[in-house]
Amino acid sequence: MKKWFLSLLCAVCLLVTQAQDAASYQTPAKDIADLLLAKTAPGVQVDGKAEWMLLSDRNSYPLVEELGQPELRIAGMRLNPNNFSPSRQNFINNFTLKNIKTDKTYNITGLPANVLAGNVSWSPSETKIAFTQTSGDRVDLYVIDIATQKATRVNKQPLNTVLGVSYTWVDDQTIIYKATTHAASQAPKRPITPKGPTVQQNLGKAAPSVTYQDLIKSPYDEQLFEFYATSQLTQIKNGVETKLGAPGIVSTISLSPDRKYMMLRTIRKPFSYLVTANGFPSTVTINDLTGKVIKVLAELPSSEGTPSGYDNTQNAPRSFDWRDDEAATITWAMPLDSGLIRKQVEYHDAVYALSAPFTGEAKELFKTKMRYGGTTWGNATLAMVTEISRTKQMVRVSRFNSTAHTLETMYERNQTDAYNSPGSPVLARNQFGRPVIQTVDNGTKILMNNTTGSSPKGDLPFLAKFDLNTKQNEIIWRCQEGYFETVNDVLDADKLILLTRRESQKDAPNYYIKNLVTKIADRAITNFGNPYPQLEGVTKEKIKYKRADGVDLTGDLYLPKGYNKDKDGPLPVFIWAYPREFNSAADAAQVRGSQYRFTTISWGSPIYFVTQGFAVLDNAEMPIVSAGPDKKPNDNFVAQLKMNAEAAINQLAGMGVGDRNRVAVGGHSYGAFMTANLLAHTNLFKAGIARSGAYNRTLTPFGFQNEDRTYWQAPQLYYEMSPFSYADKIKTPILLIHGDSDDNTGTYPINSERLFAAIKGHGGTVRFVFLPYEAHGYRGKENILHTLWEQQTWLEKYVKNAK
């Protein structure tokens, strides 16, 4: 009996060890690791005259040790408590300048020894460039003088970048920035014994809330937020610093076009335990440049009481902004339906304006029949007003003539109808240095830049002239087939001189000066090479196929170097996708993406595995389409997922390149949700990979993605769309990966923890990898390499070498 017991104990210990499997970091195949760590081309910024180019280099992924530095999580933010800045940033690690006319490159002197730069901003005349520099205990402000190619630190007090944008140019000699008010060592200390319990209550008022993460949870958190978010506005002018007004929790700073006033949004108490800092009560004021309050525009309440529903809004002023074509006129919107979009009214929003000296009454500019989405200003007779309906997936753009007080529709389309998107207006700097709509042909037309250019042939970006009288969009230039080329800037609207970025399957992206009038040969101003030699010879094709109900689908098919289907036969397949909702089957069937783009690889790409002998179908379309005007796309979510997947597999098998008996499916976030659902409801796959997903929709009860019904309105829908509800059916091997610090709304790590436990409890094959310090997107070098190893190992074992 004793011997039997010892044997049983050993077996149990072995099972427990296998269940935990606390492995050390692993690395994937060399080709995969080299692709991840390849040195990519620098970022490019060009001034408005195309005279100078700023090149920004970034290093490889940070070490996990860097991610593990001290961090505070309060008010929906993640902060470094030692330097008053966000704790998770992607820094620039070096700058160089290039003179475009002479083609000469200059190293910049005076840069910090260890450049950790961000928030790059050119001065009004584009003769200087400012950036923030983050170190272990402070954030500083540097300015690069383009003429001398020298960088100089200009601030005395450390910057406070906790709440986002921390400085703004006034003129070439003057900057206003947010300074810290205390040393980090003076932060409030957590009391060993709290004064009492944390208490929240609601007294009969509806306050639906999104499932935000990292919220304030205690009075101590409130103290920390106030300490770290408080700043002192400070002006630097010719090396002299001047404090502007009193310290406060200044969220945003926005200068008037004539640079005589600034609009401030200042957060005030009480701080919310249900929403992030962006939803805290706040005061919107207009101040002069000494900090004196000229006008209190609004006392905004907490956003806690915002009614649920995607087109609903607070019954309060919103969208405060300066009118770019006037010296100092502030505009804002106000709901006319109490914030409830389903309320039967002719107009849902009104937009108002108030001009300097801000002593009179605000005047109404116009009303909108859908929810107001913003204005792009041009001049007294031309502004473009956007109205949106997220529920109906509609967008309308109208011309506002402030002289005649008219609002005239220019175009209206479904947001998912990419083929009929006319593009966005080209902007030019006006007398205030503000970007406004560029008119051409004696003011009768505007230039429209469509950097996507969706078409039945794939994405072919274009530049067009939109006739303000006929409402017709005439394409004057379109990307040549075989390439993907976008207009980055219109350098001269009359001579049609453009700055473009061009790439092809074989050519890495580079920048060019293009003249549409003279049609002289394009002039290359960069010469970036291919950072991915491992992918040379890999073929890419945009494939088209239909699902069972006739909806057209597409995907990007990658096949290994040297592959010959007649000789090598069908390959194991890895399908990667992300579902999208559509109200229109025609829109769902549109071709998206371009097969002519140069293949670039991010940390989360599935393309790595083409180097390991897989056929990879990336961006496999997974549309979820409404069945009719009174139906919602998600009413038959699972059935449509199955149709999409079956169509993709049938197409690859029919082409002879994919083995239908060796197919894996994967996705990140909502794609992970898709993956778990496909494994729960079909037997199409040998394995699945689900990264950072949400698997129990009851944890997001007030809506998710484009689903605006609440759990209490549609409990059966929430149950049926949750793969957690069918965990007992998931028998196909599934690899779950999640960052232990996921910060995305809705994808709490508990999703993966609970799904793992549920599948394990029902005898399924499942592995759960919990990555330390990682948020919704992964950053740590060791973590990403290990994630790629986990995926490679899973695909090799359960797909490529499956029996």
Side-chain angles (χ1 to χ4, degrees), residues 21 50 114 147 178 211 254 287 380 386 422 447 455-456 574 645 650 681 719 730 736 741 745 762 764 787:
D21 196 15
N114 179 27
K178 293 191 282 189
T211 50
S254 176
N287 302 52
T386 300
L447 290 175
S455 78
F574 188 24
N650 289 339
H681 296 285
Y719 177 87
I730 299 179
L736 300 173
S741 303
T745 300
H762 287 92
T787 294

Side-chain angles (χ1 to χ4, degrees), residues 297 323 326 328-334 350-356 358-367 377 380 400-405:
L297 289 174
R323 182 168 170 165
E326 293 189 356
T329 298
I330 201 77
T331 63
W332 66 90
M334 186 72 189
V351 173
Y352 299 90
L354 182 64
S355 300
F358 314 107
T359 54
E361 292 295 321
K363 63 179 181 179
E364 180 185 294
L365 295 181
F366 52 82
K367 297 176 182 176
W377 297 98
F400 173 59
N401 184 324
S402 57
T403 301
H405 301 288

Side-chain angles (χ1 to χ4, degrees), residues 603-636:
W603 66 268
S605 173
I607 302 171
Y608 293 101
F609 302 103
V610 75
T611 67
Q612 305 304 303
F614 283 81
V616 176
L617 186 63
D618 192 16
N619 301 315
E621 291 289 349
M622 289 279 173
I624 309 299
V625 186
S626 170
D630 298 323
K631 301 290 185 180
K632 297 275 191 175
N634 286 335
D635 289 345
N636 58 346

Side-chain angles (χ1 to χ4, degrees), residues 32 35 55 60 155 167 216 220 263 267 320 330 362 419 437 444 504 678 687 705 752 759 800:
I32 294 177
L35 284 169
L55 301 169
S60 183
N155 64 300
Y167 73 92
I216 286 178
Y220 175 63
M263 179 180 63
I267 292 173
F320 290 91
I330 201 77
Y419 288 178
I437 299 169
T444 62
S504 70
L678 283 169
Q705 292 296 107
S752 290
I759 297 173
K800 188 175 184 179

Side-chain angles (χ1 to χ4, degrees), residues 153-190:
R153 196 188 87 184
V154 297
N155 64 300
K156 296 177 181 177
Q157 278 293 109
L159 273 68
N160 186 326
T161 64
V162 163
L163 292 175
V165 177
S166 54
Y167 73 92
T168 184
W169 287 96
V170 178
D171 54 47
D172 281 8
Q173 309 301 323
T174 312
I175 294 176
I176 294 173
Y177 76 94
K178 293 191 282 189
T180 59
T181 57
H182 299 89
S185 59
Q186 296 176 286
K189 306 300 181 185
R190 181 183 294 275

Side-chain angles (χ1 to χ4, degrees), residues 583-717:
N583 288 332
S584 162
D587 291 353
Q590 291 183 356
V591 178
R592 291 170 182 80
S594 168
Q595 72 178 57
Y596 304 123
R597 298 203 70 166
F598 183 77
T599 299
T600 56
I601 297 199
S602 68
W603 66 268
S605 173
I607 302 171
Y608 293 101
F609 302 103
V610 75
T611 67
Q612 305 304 303
F614 283 81
V616 176
L617 186 63
D618 192 16
N619 301 315
E621 291 289 349
M622 289 279 173
I624 309 299
V625 186
S626 170
D630 298 323
K631 301 290 185 180
K632 297 275 191 175
N634 286 335
D635 289 345
N636 58 346
F637 177 82
V638 171
Q640 294 196 63
L641 278 187
K642 184 178 179 180
M643 278 196 295
N644 294 328
E646 286 177 334
I649 293 172
N650 289 339
Q651 175 66 22
L652 296 174
M655 294 173 64
V657 300
D659 182 348
R660 67 166 63 251
N661 296 313
R662 293 187 297 160
V663 182
V665 64
H668 188 89
S669 194
Y670 207 53
F673 172 71
M674 168 205 73
T675 297
N677 263 305
L678 283 169
L679 299 194
H681 296 285
T682 76
N683 294 313
L684 297 170
F685 301 98
K686 281 292 185 183
I689 297 175
R691 293 194 319 235
S692 298
Y695 310 110
N696 185 344
R697 296 276 50 132
T698 67
L699 297 177
T700 54
F702 287 104
F704 55 91
Q705 292 296 107
N706 284 310
E707 179 54 65
D708 61 353
R709 291 169 289 189
T710 70
Y711 166 76
W712 298 274
Q713 293 170 328
Q716 191 65 25
L717 175 84

